[in-house]
Amino acid sequence: MSIGHTLLGLLEAGPRHGYDLKRAFDEKFGHDRPLHYGQVYSTMSRLLKNGLVEVDGVEAGGGPERKRYAITEAGITDVEAWLKQPEKPEPYLQSTLYTKVVLALLTGRSAGDLLDTQRAEHLRLMRILTDRKRRGDLSDQLICDHALFHLEADLRWLELTAARLDQLATEVRA
């Protein structure tokens, strides 16, 4: 995820302080990985330097000055270009799990046990996500669905690999 573009998109609704941006980000996107304040302020500094935001006001308080940031026309154009650009699909061609299966076969360990352990871990996480989805709002439901669909694909791969272990063992040991 592009934190910079996400913060710019949040600024399109109107000027905000760094604290407000962090809170909005965490509420909308950071359920599992909230932003650190340092990330927000370093990102805003970079966006300011690149002309994508400007300081809309500064408020003095009991602590450090609070800057209010506003998106510039260049920032709006940048967000629009980012939103139009499709994300690159991420094929798992260098999967750690595949590597572990092959290494288990090469070293005489049980690849079947490895697959069973992994299957159990996937199912455990799927139960957690399904419970979270049941209790969550629409945003949380969609995020959980995305993760669940990926886990389902992984489970299909685990089953297919388990069914082909003998053939794979023959090939990797040749």
Side-chain angles (χ1 to χ4, degrees):
M1 175 188 306
S2 169
I3 293 170
H5 286 110
T6 304
L7 294 176
L8 284 171
L10 291 171
L11 281 173
E12 281 202 53
R16 297 184 188 207
H17 297 96
Y19 174 83
D20 297 327
L21 284 167
K22 180 208 177 331
R23 195 175 66 227
F25 181 96
D26 290 352
E27 182 182 299
K28 301 280 187 209
F29 313 106
H31 291 282
D32 297 315
R33 275 198 262 174
L35 280 181
H36 296 284
Y37 284 104
Q39 286 177 284
V40 173
Y41 293 111
S42 64
T43 302
M44 295 312 296
S45 177
R46 183 175 37 80
L47 295 173
L48 186 62
K49 179 180 161 194
N50 293 336
L52 302 176
V53 298
E54 61 191 8
V55 175
D56 185 57
V58 178
E59 297 172 9
E65 292 182 333
R66 292 178 35 150
K67 293 179 185 174
R68 188 175 56 241
Y69 298 97
I71 192 168
T72 63
E73 286 299 319
I76 292 170
T77 301
D78 198 55
V79 170
E80 188 162 335
W82 178 67
L83 290 172
K84 287 179 179 179
Q85 183 180 10
E87 288 298 306
K88 180 182 176 203
E90 294 292 332
Y92 298 107
L93 296 179
Q94 294 297 324
S95 166
T96 302
L97 187 54
Y98 172 77
T99 301
K100 285 183 170 186
V101 169
V102 171
L103 286 175
L105 293 171
L106 287 173
T107 60
R109 293 179 174 89
S110 174
D113 288 350
L114 185 152
L115 292 171
D116 289 343
T117 300
Q118 191 63 50
R119 184 180 304 104
E121 183 61 17
H122 271 61
L123 292 171
R124 183 190 70 76
L125 182 55
M126 289 176 82
R127 284 189 295 276
I128 291 169
L129 288 169
T130 300
D131 184 56
R132 176 177 164 183
K133 177 182 166 181
R134 226 184 333 264
R135 292 181 286 112
D137 62 9
L138 180 58
S139 294
D140 220 27
Q141 291 170 14
L142 290 170
I143 289 168
C144 289
D145 280 339
H146 186 262
L148 285 164
F149 292 150
H150 281 274
L151 290 169
E152 287 174 7
D154 287 350
L155 281 174
R156 287 195 319 263
W157 181 85
L158 290 167
E159 295 301 323
L160 180 66
T161 302
R164 295 178 171 174
L165 270 182
D166 291 339
Q167 180 184 355
L168 182 60
T170 301
E171 285 186 19
V172 299
R173 290 178 185 150

PDB file of all heavy atoms in Angstrom, residues 67-95:
ATOM      1  N   LYS A  67       0.886  21.541  12.451  1.00  0.00           N
ATOM      2  CA  LYS A  67       0.702  21.955  11.065  1.00  0.00           C
ATOM      3  C   LYS A  67      -0.558  21.299  10.516  1.00  0.00           C
ATOM      4  O   LYS A  67      -0.817  20.128  10.754  1.00  0.00           O
ATOM      5  CB  LYS A  67       1.895  21.523  10.205  1.00  0.00           C
ATOM      6  CG  LYS A  67       3.176  22.229  10.535  1.00  0.00           C
ATOM      7  CD  LYS A  67       4.297  21.714   9.647  1.00  0.00           C
ATOM      8  CE  LYS A  67       5.611  22.333  10.052  1.00  0.00           C
ATOM      9  NZ  LYS A  67       6.729  21.749   9.314  1.00  0.00           N
ATOM     10  N   ARG A  68      -1.310  22.075   9.773  1.00  0.00           N
ATOM     11  CA  ARG A  68      -2.477  21.540   9.064  1.00  0.00           C
ATOM     12  C   ARG A  68      -2.083  21.482   7.587  1.00  0.00           C
ATOM     13  O   ARG A  68      -1.624  22.469   7.012  1.00  0.00           O
ATOM     14  CB  ARG A  68      -3.687  22.440   9.274  1.00  0.00           C
ATOM     15  CG  ARG A  68      -4.968  21.853   8.728  1.00  0.00           C
ATOM     16  CD  ARG A  68      -6.193  22.691   9.050  1.00  0.00           C
ATOM     17  NE  ARG A  68      -6.041  24.063   8.581  1.00  0.00           N
ATOM     18  CZ  ARG A  68      -6.058  25.125   9.370  1.00  0.00           C
ATOM     19  NH1 ARG A  68      -6.207  25.003  10.670  1.00  0.00           N
ATOM     20  NH2 ARG A  68      -5.910  26.341   8.862  1.00  0.00           N
ATOM     21  N   TYR A  69      -2.228  20.304   7.002  1.00  0.00           N
ATOM     22  CA  TYR A  69      -1.813  20.076   5.621  1.00  0.00           C
ATOM     23  C   TYR A  69      -3.018  20.090   4.687  1.00  0.00           C
ATOM     24  O   TYR A  69      -4.106  19.653   5.051  1.00  0.00           O
ATOM     25  CB  TYR A  69      -1.115  18.721   5.492  1.00  0.00           C
ATOM     26  CG  TYR A  69       0.141  18.610   6.319  1.00  0.00           C
ATOM     27  CD1 TYR A  69       0.113  18.016   7.575  1.00  0.00           C
ATOM     28  CD2 TYR A  69       1.352  19.091   5.834  1.00  0.00           C
ATOM     29  CE1 TYR A  69       1.267  17.909   8.346  1.00  0.00           C
ATOM     30  CE2 TYR A  69       2.509  18.987   6.595  1.00  0.00           C
ATOM     31  CZ  TYR A  69       2.461  18.398   7.845  1.00  0.00           C
ATOM     32  OH  TYR A  69       3.594  18.288   8.597  1.00  0.00           O
ATOM     33  N   ALA A  70      -2.788  20.586   3.482  1.00  0.00           N
ATOM     34  CA  ALA A  70      -3.806  20.572   2.432  1.00  0.00           C
ATOM     35  C   ALA A  70      -3.168  20.003   1.166  1.00  0.00           C
ATOM     36  O   ALA A  70      -1.986  20.220   0.898  1.00  0.00           O
ATOM     37  CB  ALA A  70      -4.324  21.986   2.167  1.00  0.00           C
ATOM     38  N   ILE A  71      -3.960  19.286   0.405  1.00  0.00           N
ATOM     39  CA  ILE A  71      -3.466  18.717  -0.846  1.00  0.00           C
ATOM     40  C   ILE A  71      -3.396  19.820  -1.901  1.00  0.00           C
ATOM     41  O   ILE A  71      -4.235  20.724  -1.922  1.00  0.00           O
ATOM     42  CB  ILE A  71      -4.358  17.535  -1.298  1.00  0.00           C
ATOM     43  CG1 ILE A  71      -3.702  16.757  -2.435  1.00  0.00           C
ATOM     44  CG2 ILE A  71      -5.766  18.006  -1.651  1.00  0.00           C
ATOM     45  CD1 ILE A  71      -4.373  15.420  -2.743  1.00  0.00           C
ATOM     46  N   THR A  72      -2.396  19.765  -2.752  1.00  0.00           N
ATOM     47  CA  THR A  72      -2.259  20.723  -3.856  1.00  0.00           C
ATOM     48  C   THR A  72      -2.881  20.118  -5.123  1.00  0.00           C
ATOM     49  O   THR A  72      -3.243  18.940  -5.156  1.00  0.00           O
ATOM     50  CB  THR A  72      -0.772  21.035  -4.121  1.00  0.00           C
ATOM     51  OG1 THR A  72      -0.126  19.813  -4.533  1.00  0.00           O
ATOM     52  CG2 THR A  72      -0.085  21.622  -2.896  1.00  0.00           C
ATOM     53  N   GLU A  73      -2.975  20.929  -6.156  1.00  0.00           N
ATOM     54  CA  GLU A  73      -3.468  20.427  -7.445  1.00  0.00           C
ATOM     55  C   GLU A  73      -2.571  19.294  -7.952  1.00  0.00           C
ATOM     56  O   GLU A  73      -3.054  18.304  -8.499  1.00  0.00           O
ATOM     57  CB  GLU A  73      -3.553  21.546  -8.479  1.00  0.00           C
ATOM     58  CG  GLU A  73      -4.713  22.503  -8.264  1.00  0.00           C
ATOM     59  CD  GLU A  73      -6.070  21.810  -8.327  1.00  0.00           C
ATOM     60  OE1 GLU A  73      -6.274  20.920  -9.198  1.00  0.00           O
ATOM     61  OE2 GLU A  73      -6.929  22.135  -7.495  1.00  0.00           O
ATOM     62  N   ALA A  74      -1.263  19.452  -7.754  1.00  0.00           N
ATOM     63  CA  ALA A  74      -0.324  18.393  -8.167  1.00  0.00           C
ATOM     64  C   ALA A  74      -0.602  17.117  -7.370  1.00  0.00           C
ATOM     65  O   ALA A  74      -0.507  16.008  -7.906  1.00  0.00           O
ATOM     66  CB  ALA A  74       1.112  18.846  -7.971  1.00  0.00           C
ATOM     67  N   GLY A  75      -0.944  17.253  -6.108  1.00  0.00           N
ATOM     68  CA  GLY A  75      -1.272  16.092  -5.279  1.00  0.00           C
ATOM     69  C   GLY A  75      -2.532  15.400  -5.761  1.00  0.00           C
ATOM     70  O   GLY A  75      -2.603  14.166  -5.814  1.00  0.00           O
ATOM     71  N   ILE A  76      -3.535  16.175  -6.126  1.00  0.00           N
ATOM     72  CA  ILE A  76      -4.785  15.609  -6.647  1.00  0.00           C
ATOM     73  C   ILE A  76      -4.512  14.843  -7.940  1.00  0.00           C
ATOM     74  O   ILE A  76      -5.001  13.729  -8.135  1.00  0.00           O
ATOM     75  CB  ILE A  76      -5.843  16.719  -6.859  1.00  0.00           C
ATOM     76  CG1 ILE A  76      -6.289  17.283  -5.496  1.00  0.00           C
ATOM     77  CG2 ILE A  76      -7.034  16.192  -7.657  1.00  0.00           C
ATOM     78  CD1 ILE A  76      -7.140  18.535  -5.586  1.00  0.00           C
ATOM     79  N   THR A  77      -3.707  15.442  -8.813  1.00  0.00           N
ATOM     80  CA  THR A  77      -3.348  14.782 -10.070  1.00  0.00           C
ATOM     81  C   THR A  77      -2.594  13.487  -9.804  1.00  0.00           C
ATOM     82  O   THR A  77      -2.831  12.468 -10.462  1.00  0.00           O
ATOM     83  CB  THR A  77      -2.481  15.734 -10.932  1.00  0.00           C
ATOM     84  OG1 THR A  77      -3.241  16.923 -11.191  1.00  0.00           O
ATOM     85  CG2 THR A  77      -2.076  15.086 -12.241  1.00  0.00           C
ATOM     86  N   ASP A  78      -1.698  13.505  -8.822  1.00  0.00           N
ATOM     87  CA  ASP A  78      -0.913  12.316  -8.478  1.00  0.00           C
ATOM     88  C   ASP A  78      -1.812  11.195  -7.949  1.00  0.00           C
ATOM     89  O   ASP A  78      -1.644  10.032  -8.325  1.00  0.00           O
ATOM     90  CB  ASP A  78       0.150  12.692  -7.446  1.00  0.00           C
ATOM     91  CG  ASP A  78       1.256  11.667  -7.358  1.00  0.00           C
ATOM     92  OD1 ASP A  78       1.869  11.363  -8.397  1.00  0.00           O
ATOM     93  OD2 ASP A  78       1.501  11.165  -6.242  1.00  0.00           O
ATOM     94  N   VAL A  79      -2.758  11.528  -7.076  1.00  0.00           N
ATOM     95  CA  VAL A  79      -3.691  10.522  -6.544  1.00  0.00           C
ATOM     96  C   VAL A  79      -4.531   9.939  -7.670  1.00  0.00           C
ATOM     97  O   VAL A  79      -4.734   8.722  -7.751  1.00  0.00           O
ATOM     98  CB  VAL A  79      -4.604  11.116  -5.444  1.00  0.00           C
ATOM     99  CG1 VAL A  79      -5.720  10.150  -5.083  1.00  0.00           C
ATOM    100  CG2 VAL A  79      -3.802  11.466  -4.214  1.00  0.00           C
ATOM    101  N   GLU A  80      -5.010  10.805  -8.541  1.00  0.00           N
ATOM    102  CA  GLU A  80      -5.844  10.332  -9.646  1.00  0.00           C
ATOM    103  C   GLU A  80      -5.075   9.358 -10.541  1.00  0.00           C
ATOM    104  O   GLU A  80      -5.594   8.313 -10.928  1.00  0.00           O
ATOM    105  CB  GLU A  80      -6.352  11.510 -10.468  1.00  0.00           C
ATOM    106  CG  GLU A  80      -7.362  11.080 -11.502  1.00  0.00           C
ATOM    107  CD  GLU A  80      -8.186  12.228 -12.028  1.00  0.00           C
ATOM    108  OE1 GLU A  80      -8.345  13.228 -11.319  1.00  0.00           O
ATOM    109  OE2 GLU A  80      -8.675  12.094 -13.163  1.00  0.00           O
ATOM    110  N   ALA A  81      -3.824   9.671 -10.845  1.00  0.00           N
ATOM    111  CA  ALA A  81      -3.002   8.776 -11.671  1.00  0.00           C
ATOM    112  C   ALA A  81      -2.774   7.451 -10.948  1.00  0.00           C
ATOM    113  O   ALA A  81      -2.832   6.381 -11.562  1.00  0.00           O
ATOM    114  CB  ALA A  81      -1.668   9.445 -11.999  1.00  0.00           C
ATOM    115  N   TRP A  82      -2.532   7.508  -9.645  1.00  0.00           N
ATOM    116  CA  TRP A  82      -2.307   6.291  -8.853  1.00  0.00           C
ATOM    117  C   TRP A  82      -3.566   5.421  -8.827  1.00  0.00           C
ATOM    118  O   TRP A  82      -3.488   4.202  -8.969  1.00  0.00           O
ATOM    119  CB  TRP A  82      -1.865   6.680  -7.446  1.00  0.00           C
ATOM    120  CG  TRP A  82      -1.638   5.533  -6.527  1.00  0.00           C
ATOM    121  CD1 TRP A  82      -0.653   4.587  -6.613  1.00  0.00           C
ATOM    122  CD2 TRP A  82      -2.406   5.184  -5.379  1.00  0.00           C
ATOM    123  NE1 TRP A  82      -0.759   3.683  -5.575  1.00  0.00           N
ATOM    124  CE2 TRP A  82      -1.828   4.030  -4.805  1.00  0.00           C
ATOM    125  CE3 TRP A  82      -3.524   5.752  -4.765  1.00  0.00           C
ATOM    126  CZ2 TRP A  82      -2.331   3.435  -3.656  1.00  0.00           C
ATOM    127  CZ3 TRP A  82      -4.024   5.165  -3.617  1.00  0.00           C
ATOM    128  CH2 TRP A  82      -3.425   4.011  -3.078  1.00  0.00           C
ATOM    129  N   LEU A  83      -4.727   6.041  -8.661  1.00  0.00           N
ATOM    130  CA  LEU A  83      -5.976   5.278  -8.621  1.00  0.00           C
ATOM    131  C   LEU A  83      -6.284   4.609  -9.962  1.00  0.00           C
ATOM    132  O   LEU A  83      -6.870   3.523  -9.994  1.00  0.00           O
ATOM    133  CB  LEU A  83      -7.146   6.179  -8.218  1.00  0.00           C
ATOM    134  CG  LEU A  83      -7.149   6.645  -6.762  1.00  0.00           C
ATOM    135  CD1 LEU A  83      -8.255   7.682  -6.549  1.00  0.00           C
ATOM    136  CD2 LEU A  83      -7.311   5.479  -5.809  1.00  0.00           C
ATOM    137  N   LYS A  84      -5.883   5.232 -11.050  1.00  0.00           N
ATOM    138  CA  LYS A  84      -6.152   4.672 -12.379  1.00  0.00           C
ATOM    139  C   LYS A  84      -5.196   3.542 -12.746  1.00  0.00           C
ATOM    140  O   LYS A  84      -5.487   2.748 -13.635  1.00  0.00           O
ATOM    141  CB  LYS A  84      -6.061   5.768 -13.436  1.00  0.00           C
ATOM    142  CG  LYS A  84      -7.221   6.726 -13.400  1.00  0.00           C
ATOM    143  CD  LYS A  84      -7.071   7.796 -14.460  1.00  0.00           C
ATOM    144  CE  LYS A  84      -8.250   8.750 -14.442  1.00  0.00           C
ATOM    145  NZ  LYS A  84      -8.119   9.808 -15.442  1.00  0.00           N
ATOM    146  N   GLN A  85      -4.051   3.491 -12.074  1.00  0.00           N
ATOM    147  CA  GLN A  85      -3.034   2.485 -12.397  1.00  0.00           C
ATOM    148  C   GLN A  85      -3.406   1.149 -11.746  1.00  0.00           C
ATOM    149  O   GLN A  85      -3.575   1.074 -10.530  1.00  0.00           O
ATOM    150  CB  GLN A  85      -1.679   2.954 -11.888  1.00  0.00           C
ATOM    151  CG  GLN A  85      -0.542   2.054 -12.213  1.00  0.00           C
ATOM    152  CD  GLN A  85       0.766   2.618 -11.657  1.00  0.00           C
ATOM    153  OE1 GLN A  85       0.785   3.569 -10.902  1.00  0.00           O
ATOM    154  NE2 GLN A  85       1.856   2.006 -12.047  1.00  0.00           N
ATOM    155  N   PRO A  86      -3.543   0.080 -12.540  1.00  0.00           N
ATOM    156  CA  PRO A  86      -3.878  -1.218 -11.934  1.00  0.00           C
ATOM    157  C   PRO A  86      -2.725  -1.738 -11.079  1.00  0.00           C
ATOM    158  O   PRO A  86      -1.553  -1.465 -11.365  1.00  0.00           O
ATOM    159  CB  PRO A  86      -4.127  -2.131 -13.132  1.00  0.00           C
ATOM    160  CG  PRO A  86      -3.394  -1.493 -14.258  1.00  0.00           C
ATOM    161  CD  PRO A  86      -3.358  -0.010 -13.977  1.00  0.00           C
ATOM    162  N   GLU A  87      -3.074  -2.451 -10.033  1.00  0.00           N
ATOM    163  CA  GLU A  87      -2.066  -3.079  -9.184  1.00  0.00           C
ATOM    164  C   GLU A  87      -1.528  -4.315  -9.882  1.00  0.00           C
ATOM    165  O   GLU A  87      -2.278  -5.040 -10.544  1.00  0.00           O
ATOM    166  CB  GLU A  87      -2.668  -3.485  -7.838  1.00  0.00           C
ATOM    167  CG  GLU A  87      -2.963  -2.317  -6.933  1.00  0.00           C
ATOM    168  CD  GLU A  87      -1.715  -1.539  -6.555  1.00  0.00           C
ATOM    169  OE1 GLU A  87      -0.750  -2.145  -6.051  1.00  0.00           O
ATOM    170  OE2 GLU A  87      -1.703  -0.314  -6.778  1.00  0.00           O
ATOM    171  N   LYS A  88      -0.259  -4.571  -9.736  1.00  0.00           N
ATOM    172  CA  LYS A  88       0.356  -5.750 -10.331  1.00  0.00           C
ATOM    173  C   LYS A  88      -0.085  -6.985  -9.537  1.00  0.00           C
ATOM    174  O   LYS A  88       0.114  -7.038  -8.319  1.00  0.00           O
ATOM    175  CB  LYS A  88       1.878  -5.616 -10.285  1.00  0.00           C
ATOM    176  CG  LYS A  88       2.591  -6.802 -10.879  1.00  0.00           C
ATOM    177  CD  LYS A  88       4.085  -6.640 -10.771  1.00  0.00           C
ATOM    178  CE  LYS A  88       4.735  -7.912 -11.308  1.00  0.00           C
ATOM    179  NZ  LYS A  88       6.066  -8.096 -10.776  1.00  0.00           N
ATOM    180  N   PRO A  89      -0.682  -7.957 -10.203  1.00  0.00           N
ATOM    181  CA  PRO A  89      -1.019  -9.188  -9.490  1.00  0.00           C
ATOM    182  C   PRO A  89       0.263  -9.830  -8.955  1.00  0.00           C
ATOM    183  O   PRO A  89       1.307  -9.792  -9.602  1.00  0.00           O
ATOM    184  CB  PRO A  89      -1.662 -10.068 -10.557  1.00  0.00           C
ATOM    185  CG  PRO A  89      -2.117  -9.118 -11.612  1.00  0.00           C
ATOM    186  CD  PRO A  89      -1.120  -7.989 -11.585  1.00  0.00           C
ATOM    187  N   GLU A  90       0.190 -10.365  -7.772  1.00  0.00           N
ATOM    188  CA  GLU A  90       1.358 -10.937  -7.123  1.00  0.00           C
ATOM    189  C   GLU A  90       1.325 -12.464  -7.162  1.00  0.00           C
ATOM    190  O   GLU A  90       0.792 -13.096  -6.260  1.00  0.00           O
ATOM    191  CB  GLU A  90       1.430 -10.466  -5.666  1.00  0.00           C
ATOM    192  CG  GLU A  90       1.669  -8.987  -5.497  1.00  0.00           C
ATOM    193  CD  GLU A  90       3.043  -8.539  -5.948  1.00  0.00           C
ATOM    194  OE1 GLU A  90       3.995  -9.348  -5.905  1.00  0.00           O
ATOM    195  OE2 GLU A  90       3.158  -7.386  -6.360  1.00  0.00           O
ATOM    196  N   PRO A  91       1.871 -13.073  -8.223  1.00  0.00           N
ATOM    197  CA  PRO A  91       1.928 -14.535  -8.232  1.00  0.00           C
ATOM    198  C   PRO A  91       2.982 -15.013  -7.238  1.00  0.00           C
ATOM    199  O   PRO A  91       3.993 -14.349  -7.027  1.00  0.00           O
ATOM    200  CB  PRO A  91       2.333 -14.867  -9.672  1.00  0.00           C
ATOM    201  CG  PRO A  91       3.071 -13.654 -10.131  1.00  0.00           C
ATOM    202  CD  PRO A  91       2.466 -12.483  -9.399  1.00  0.00           C
ATOM    203  N   TYR A  92       2.718 -16.120  -6.614  1.00  0.00           N
ATOM    204  CA  TYR A  92       3.630 -16.650  -5.605  1.00  0.00           C
ATOM    205  C   TYR A  92       4.593 -17.644  -6.243  1.00  0.00           C
ATOM    206  O   TYR A  92       4.623 -18.806  -5.883  1.00  0.00           O
ATOM    207  CB  TYR A  92       2.846 -17.341  -4.488  1.00  0.00           C
ATOM    208  CG  TYR A  92       1.918 -16.417  -3.755  1.00  0.00           C
ATOM    209  CD1 TYR A  92       0.549 -16.494  -3.938  1.00  0.00           C
ATOM    210  CD2 TYR A  92       2.421 -15.464  -2.887  1.00  0.00           C
ATOM    211  CE1 TYR A  92      -0.298 -15.638  -3.260  1.00  0.00           C
ATOM    212  CE2 TYR A  92       1.578 -14.612  -2.205  1.00  0.00           C
ATOM    213  CZ  TYR A  92       0.219 -14.701  -2.391  1.00  0.00           C
ATOM    214  OH  TYR A  92      -0.618 -13.855  -1.725  1.00  0.00           O
ATOM    215  N   LEU A  93       5.388 -17.162  -7.189  1.00  0.00           N
ATOM    216  CA  LEU A  93       6.276 -18.066  -7.905  1.00  0.00           C
ATOM    217  C   LEU A  93       7.511 -18.452  -7.081  1.00  0.00           C
ATOM    218  O   LEU A  93       8.157 -19.439  -7.384  1.00  0.00           O
ATOM    219  CB  LEU A  93       6.700 -17.431  -9.239  1.00  0.00           C
ATOM    220  CG  LEU A  93       5.546 -17.192 -10.213  1.00  0.00           C
ATOM    221  CD1 LEU A  93       6.067 -16.536 -11.491  1.00  0.00           C
ATOM    222  CD2 LEU A  93       4.829 -18.480 -10.542  1.00  0.00           C
ATOM    223  N   GLN A  94       7.844 -17.711  -6.079  1.00  0.00           N
ATOM    224  CA  GLN A  94       8.963 -18.047  -5.205  1.00  0.00           C
ATOM    225  C   GLN A  94       8.429 -18.277  -3.789  1.00  0.00           C
ATOM    226  O   GLN A  94       8.867 -17.674  -2.834  1.00  0.00           O
ATOM    227  CB  GLN A  94      10.008 -16.925  -5.209  1.00  0.00           C
ATOM    228  CG  GLN A  94      10.693 -16.741  -6.535  1.00  0.00           C
ATOM    229  CD  GLN A  94      11.496 -17.969  -6.947  1.00  0.00           C
ATOM    230  OE1 GLN A  94      12.088 -18.640  -6.121  1.00  0.00           O
ATOM    231  NE2 GLN A  94      11.492 -18.272  -8.228  1.00  0.00           N
ATOM    232  N   SER A  95       7.469 -19.167  -3.667  1.00  0.00           N
ATOM    233  CA  SER A  95       6.798 -19.425  -2.402  1.00  0.00           C
ATOM    234  C   SER A  95       7.713 -20.107  -1.393  1.00  0.00           C
ATOM    235  O   SER A  95       8.365 -21.111  -1.693  1.00  0.00           O
ATOM    236  CB  SER A  95       5.576 -20.307  -2.664  1.00  0.00           C
ATOM    237  OG  SER A  95       5.079 -20.844  -1.468  1.00  0.00           O
TER     238      SER A  95
END
